[in-house]
Structures are given as structure tokens and as C-alpha cells.
Amino acid sequence: MLKDRIAFVTGGTGAVGAAIVRCLAGHGARVAFSYHSQPEKAQELERELTAAGRSVRAFSLNVVDAAQVALVAATVEREFGAVDILVNNAGATQVMPFALLEEEDWDRVMAVNVKGPFLVTKAFVRPMIRRQRGAIVNLGSLAGMRVLEVPVHYATAKSAMVGFTLSLARELARYRIRVNAVVPGLLTDGVSAHVPEKQRLDYEGHCTLGRAGRPEEVAEVVAFLASERSSYMNAQAVHIDGGI
Ligand SMILES: NC(=O)c1ccc[n+]([C@@H]2O[C@H](COP(=O)([O-])OP(=O)(O)OC[C@H]3O[C@@H](n4cnc5c(N)ncnc54)[C@H](OP(=O)(O)O)[C@@H]3O)[C@@H](O)[C@H]2O)c1
């Protein structure tokens, strides 16, 4: 499905990011991915997939550092090739009641989840515009779309990814670049690892499929949106939440 495509995935060391890297590579793409604080995990993933005959490379990157983003984008293009697929996956949250949030908590969560995708997309979109092709997939969250007991700064940042997706899709369509988002519900792992048991049970009770989702189930939809099989899909926010 993605043979000879070149992809860049941010946050490949996370639960969802690693699943996306594995899935894109499994569908035949050559995948560059970024890590931030976990170089060992990145190397492990690189080794695992290389041993399986896939073409995968890890790059160190803080998505809120514009100079680093520009450098990594240039290095990926030089050493790996022009990127056809960008997945803005890196994200961060913090479990904290609104009244206790400090300004720096707000700034950090907004920076990683919103400024990061802005900087990364800006750096990777120019070659896509030049080549008049590309697919961008952003990670939203049900936290930003429903009335849920979730951290307010995280919900705010994640709903911003939908606006980002819609307006970017409109603007980039003229260059034949499609932009979509996935909106996962509660997953078994990753940023939801610290969700209190009571809330997890509540989610599972309201979800038609009666369980949390798996990162691999999100990754399959990302791969589909990144591929030509979804050629008539643009500006969509696809919910992957088990029906809730
Ligand atoms: N898990 C869920 O239930 C769920 C539900 C809805 C949406 N999502 C979305 O899915 C995406 C991935 O989340 P996850 O659950 O896989 O979380 P995770 O396991 O905590 O992974 C987060 C990833 O983001 C990277 N990262 C964090 N801060 C960064 C920074 N400043 N610069 C660059 N990379 C940074 C981390 O890198 P290091 O590990 O190397 O530091 C890691 O690879 C997020 O956008 C999240 O909002 C998750």
C-alpha cells in the first residue's frame, strides 16, 4: 500500500508512534521517525525493523525547537529522500485539575501539541509543495471533541489540531497535498497510562465495543489516510474510539 513512499513520524518512541512506524514500514514505506527523551527505545525500534528487512531511521528531535526541526527536515531529505507522508504524532499531557494549572504547564502542553505540529509541518511541507504531492496525518484526541474529564490544557491543544487540519487541508489542496486527522478515544497505553481506573471503567462502560483501543488500531487508519487508498478523503477528523 505504501511501497517506495517516504514517511516522517514524530514521537516514534511512544505507544502510538511506535505502532505507526511499524505499520507504515509493514506496508512498505521507508520510515524516518523522531524521538525526544528515549534514544534507547528509538534504537531498539530501528534495530527491530531493520532486522525485519525494513528501511527505518531514528532522529533526535525536540518538536518545539524550530532550529532543530529545520535541521532534521533537511537531514531526512538529504539522507533518506523527499518525504511524501508526514505524521504529526508527538504529544504530551499532564493530569492536573484546571485550578492547579500553572502558566508553564499550559505553555508546555500547548507547545508540544500545537506549536510542534506547526513547526514540523512548516519544515516538511515545502518539498511537498515543490513536488506537488503529499499526505499529512495529524493526531487529535477525543479529549478535544467530547465532554470528558480530561486535562483542560490537553483538550484545548487537541481540539486545535482539528482546526489546524481543516484550514491546512483547504490551503494545501491546490498543491495536491491532503491533510487529515485521526481522533482516538481512550487507548490501552501511552498518554492515557495515567488515566484513573474509575475513568477507564466509565469509558469502557459507555463505549459500544466495551474496551479501550490499541495503538495498532490507530496506526492502521493512519496508514490508510497516508496512502492513495484514501485519495478522496481530505480535511477529515476520523474518530477511532470504539463508538462512544
Ligand atoms: N494514548 C491515548 O490514549 C491517546 C488517545 C488520543 C490521542 N492520543 C495522541 O496520540 C499521540 C501519541 O501519544 P501516545 O499515547 O503514544 O503518547 P506517549 O506514549 O507518551 O508518546 C509521546 C511521544 O511524543 C514524544 N514527545 C514528547 N514530547 C516531545 C517533544 N517536546 N519533542 C518531540 N517529541 C516529543 C515522545 O518522545 P520520547 O518518548 O522519546 O520522549 C513520545 O515518542 C499524541 O498526539 C496523543 O495526544 C493518544
Side-chain angles (χ1 to χ4, degrees):
M1 180 160 83
L2 296 171
K3 196 167 168 339
D4 299 329
R5 297 282 152 155
I6 298 182
F8 183 71
V9 180
T10 63
T13 39
V16 178
I20 294 171
V21 171
R22 286 192 181 96
C23 187
L24 297 182
H27 282 293
R30 300 178 60 211
V31 187
F33 70 91
S34 76
Y35 62 92
H36 182 225
S37 64
Q38 303 195 79
E40 309 79 21
K41 214 166 171 179
Q43 282 160 16
E44 213 176 287
L45 184 61
E46 203 183 70
R47 266 200 301 272
E48 170 201 316
L49 291 169
T50 306
R54 313 292 182 203
S55 177
V56 170
R57 278 274 283 286
F59 293 83
S60 168
L61 175 66
N62 181 353
V63 293
V64 304
D65 182 327
Q68 261 187 46
V69 171
L71 187 66
V72 167
T75 311
V76 168
E77 182 163 6
R78 195 176 58 244
E79 295 182 4
F80 217 67
V83 166
D84 309 291
I85 297 163
L86 169 64
V87 184
N88 281 310
N89 163 78
T93 188
Q94 168 197 36
V95 179
M96 185 71 75
F98 179 72
L100 298 182
L101 281 183
E102 299 293 345
E103 190 178 345
E104 57 264 32
D105 297 325
W106 182 271
D107 287 346
R108 190 179 62 82
V109 166
M110 293 302 282
V112 176
N113 293 296
V114 183
K115 186 177 174 184
F118 157 64
L119 292 175
V120 172
T121 305
K122 191 163 147 48
F124 280 88
V125 83
R126 288 183 179 194
M128 288 184 181
I129 290 174
R130 271 201 305 275
R131 299 168 68 232
Q132 302 260 309
R133 73 185 241 184
I136 298 172
V137 184
N138 299 315
L139 268 285
S141 168
L142 206 64
M145 309 291 280
R146 290 277 194 280
V147 183
L148 293 169
E149 185 131 354
V150 291
V152 173
H153 51 351
Y154 178 68
T156 307
K158 283 289 147 182
S159 69
M161 289 318 291
V162 175
F164 181 71
T165 299
L166 301 184
S167 51
L168 200 58
R170 173 70 273 177
E171 186 170 330
L172 297 183
R174 70 195 65 153
Y175 308 115
R176 300 178 199 204
I177 300 166
R178 294 182 301 114
V179 188
N180 290 290
V182 290
V183 178
L186 184 74
L187 303 178
T188 50
D189 205 354
V191 290
S192 60
H194 302 295
V195 167
E197 187 62 9
K198 184 178 166 300
Q199 271 166 250
R200 187 171 286 277
L201 290 172
D202 192 40
Y203 185 93
E204 291 172 2
H206 285 91
C207 170
T208 57
L209 296 183
R211 63 172 176 85
R214 293 186 293 274
E216 297 73 28
E217 293 173 313
V218 174
E220 280 297 343
V221 182
V222 170
F224 172 69
L225 291 173
S227 79
E228 276 307 298
R229 290 196 185 172
S230 61
S231 52
Y232 198 51
M233 288 182 75
N234 198 24
Q236 299 302 306
V238 180
H239 287 222
I240 311 163
D241 56 13
I244 194 159

